[in-house]
Amino acid sequence: MRALIIGNSSSVYVRDFAKWMTKKTSVTFDILSWVPGRLESNGRVREFVPGPLPEWIGKIRKVRGLWKVLQYGNLLRKLGKYDMAHIHLVGLEATCFAGMIGRRCKTLIATVWGGDFHRTSRIMKKLQERVYRRAKLITFATIEMKEAFDRYYRQKYSEKLRICTFGLAPLDELKQLKMSKTECREKFFIPSDAIVVTVGYNAGYWHRHKEVLDSLSKVALPKNLFLVFPFTYAQNEQYIREIEAKILECGFKNLILKDFMGPKETAILRKASDIMIQVQTTDVLSGSMLEHLYAGSVVITGDWLPYKVLDEMGIHVVKVGHVSEVGEALAHTIKNLDELRRKNEVSRLKIYEFASWAHVIGLWISLYQEGGRK
């Protein structure tokens, strides 16, 4: 089977999906991406990326965006026919070229990632139906998102909806990791005696770093508190500068990570941490949060986030009703850290079985088999 992926090949989820599918099946993939990724070359995954912007176009924002879309369309026209096209994240390019994508494949699958549903306008949701009407199957990572989608579109696409979860490569790295917590901290020059708190998992404003820092600054916290900000993607330089200024104002010891990290580095960072704060505005089910839980961190999260699956698995997290409560929650968590950690010791196997690629790849293989049937 020849399949075309419409998605960002720099995304770890797209890369690992293609890696595991080619490992377990005979499918070959072409990936049409906005930006180049770090693909593992095994001869069965190829990448196509629009050419670089001419310098004069890059200076004009509206022209730059239009030029990118046109280049993307031109590249799509040059590609051949496929047995299947698989849209990973129903974004602008998939919506603009839904008809062209549909004509280039026998079967279309759309995978909704989360932000492409929860963080889109009504107009965009209407335009996305150009994809959903053509798709044979539409997938979601959680039941909650599937049900929310089904309600919004008034059961119009109910028969197409499926659940398929992405695997988390750092889980396997964590499973094999022999380094102690102290050694993991040394890797990032974090003091061995610190209470290490990771704030969010990217540089997106929706992680509400400023509000978290405001809340933390209002409570008495240990002097050995050390904050880690993983800003390795969703980067906005202006926003990062604002966060850096806010951290300086609050006086917290900290580490801001901006460079790309592979699965092993990510696993080491997870193990170096004691606590994760995850209070973004919306989410599906944070892979980073699951990695932290598997590594033994205690997670502080918002009770507005759809993490029913954690309750069903018996996984304990500290919940807050508002981001302003994070400071008090952190003080409570630090005071009871050992006890809170023990609550999740028996849950590690459940997390691995729920979210490791070795366990979830079967769902994707079944999906492709269903999509390929006439």
Side-chain angles (χ1 to χ4, degrees):
M1 178 190 290
R2 291 185 70 238
L4 172 67
I5 290 177
I6 306 293
N8 186 351
S9 59
S10 68
S11 162
V12 66
Y13 295 113
V14 171
R15 292 199 310 271
D16 287 344
F17 170 79
K19 173 185 171 181
W20 276 86
M21 284 294 286
T22 53
K23 181 179 178 181
K24 295 292 185 180
T25 73
S26 60
V27 181
T28 60
F29 290 99
D30 287 348
I31 302 178
L32 181 55
S33 174
W34 279 112
V35 293
R38 297 176 176 86
L39 297 174
E40 291 187 14
S41 179
N42 60 6
R44 290 171 55 201
V45 181
R46 299 189 303 171
E47 179 185 57
F48 296 89
V49 181
L53 283 167
E55 187 175 346
W56 70 271
I57 289 179
K59 296 177 181 179
I60 310 171
R61 185 176 178 182
K62 289 184 179 179
V63 176
R64 181 175 68 219
L66 177 61
W67 189 90
K68 275 189 165 184
V69 170
L70 293 174
Q71 284 289 97
Y72 195 92
N74 288 335
L75 190 52
L76 181 57
R77 287 185 187 93
K78 294 175 183 177
L79 298 178
K81 299 280 186 178
Y82 295 87
D83 299 299
M84 188 174 294
H86 187 173
I87 295 170
H88 280 264
L89 193 149
V90 186
L92 177 64
E93 64 277 15
T95 302
C96 287
F97 300 108
M100 194 188 303
I101 294 167
R103 289 190 295 273
R104 270 162 173 68
C105 65
K106 297 174 184 176
T107 301
L108 176 61
I109 293 175
T111 291
V112 181
W113 280 28
D116 46 344
F117 175 67
H118 291 302
R119 297 190 190 119
T120 52
S121 65
R122 287 185 180 182
I123 294 173
M124 185 60 180
K125 284 184 173 68
K126 183 68 177 174
L127 292 173
Q128 286 169 324
E129 289 198 82
R130 300 185 69 228
V131 170
Y132 302 141
R133 285 194 299 269
R134 291 174 170 86
K136 182 175 181 179
L137 299 167
I138 305 169
T139 80
F140 308 85
T142 66
I143 292 172
E144 288 96 332
M145 184 164 64
K146 173 178 171 284
E147 292 175 345
F149 180 97
D150 207 22
R151 284 194 302 272
Y152 183 87
Y153 288 108
R154 299 181 180 181
Q155 292 74 49
K156 192 187 301 185
Y157 306 108
S158 296
E159 293 182 1
K160 301 182 178 187
L161 310 186
R162 303 290 185 271
I163 301 293
C164 280
T165 307
F166 283 108
L168 302 171
L171 293 186
D172 288 303
E173 295 289 348
L174 281 164
K175 190 177 181 181
Q176 299 164 18
L177 190 62
K178 304 299 182 185
M179 296 168 66
S180 68
K181 187 177 281 287
T182 298
E183 289 171 329
C184 290
R185 291 181 175 186
E186 287 174 355
K187 187 79 174 176
F188 292 97
F189 304 100
I190 298 172
S192 60
D193 63 343
I195 296 170
V196 182
V197 179
T198 302
V199 183
Y201 59 82
N202 67 40
Y205 65 87
W206 49 87
H207 283 276
R208 303 201 279 192
H209 304 97
K210 291 179 184 177
E211 292 93 325
V212 168
L213 288 165
D214 278 334
S215 183
L216 299 187
S217 66
K218 292 175 183 175
V219 298
L221 293 168
K223 291 183 179 179
N224 62 336
L225 182 71
F226 191 96
L227 303 182
V228 176
F229 295 85
F231 284 176
T232 56
Y233 65 101
Q235 291 184 349
N236 178 302
E237 287 304 320
Q238 176 60 34
Y239 180 75
I240 291 174
R241 284 195 294 271
E242 291 173 7
I243 299 304
E244 288 172 335
K246 188 70 178 178
I247 295 168
L248 189 63
E249 176 189 323
C250 295
F252 293 119
K253 298 171 188 173
N254 71 93
L255 171 66
I256 293 177
L257 298 165
K258 298 180 184 179
D259 295 332
F260 169 81
M261 293 190 298
K264 185 168 184 178
E265 285 180 295
T266 301
I268 292 170
L269 181 63
R270 302 290 185 254
K271 191 168 182 178
S273 188
D274 295 306
I275 299 164
M276 181 199 191
I277 296 173
Q278 154 69 354
V279 288
Q280 59 181 317
T281 50
T282 63
D283 192 31
V284 179
L285 182 60
S286 165
S288 298
M289 179 180 69
L290 292 174
E291 292 160 10
H292 272 279
L293 287 166
Y294 185 78
S297 294
V298 177
V299 169
I300 298 171
T301 191
D303 64 7
W304 59 87
L305 294 170
Y307 295 157
K308 184 180 176 182
V309 66
L310 296 182
D311 297 330
E312 291 171 349
M313 287 195 288
I315 296 171
H316 180 79
V317 294
V318 177
K319 294 184 180 181
V320 296
H322 191 272
V323 68
S324 62
E325 300 170 14
V326 167
E328 292 292 346
L330 180 58
H332 165 80
T333 300
I334 292 171
K335 187 177 179 180
N336 300 280
L337 190 56
D338 291 337
E339 178 189 346
L340 291 169
R341 273 182 176 148
R342 282 193 293 271
K343 287 186 177 183
N344 282 334
E345 282 178 356
V346 296
S347 302
R348 296 183 79 244
L349 181 59
K350 293 179 183 177
I351 294 170
Y352 188 81
E353 290 179 346
F354 175 78
S356 68
W357 273 111
H359 284 81
V360 306
I361 191 61
L363 297 172
W364 294 102
I365 293 171
S366 297
L367 182 81
Y368 269 49
Q369 289 171 341
E370 182 182 1
R373 287 195 291 269
K374 294 182 180 180

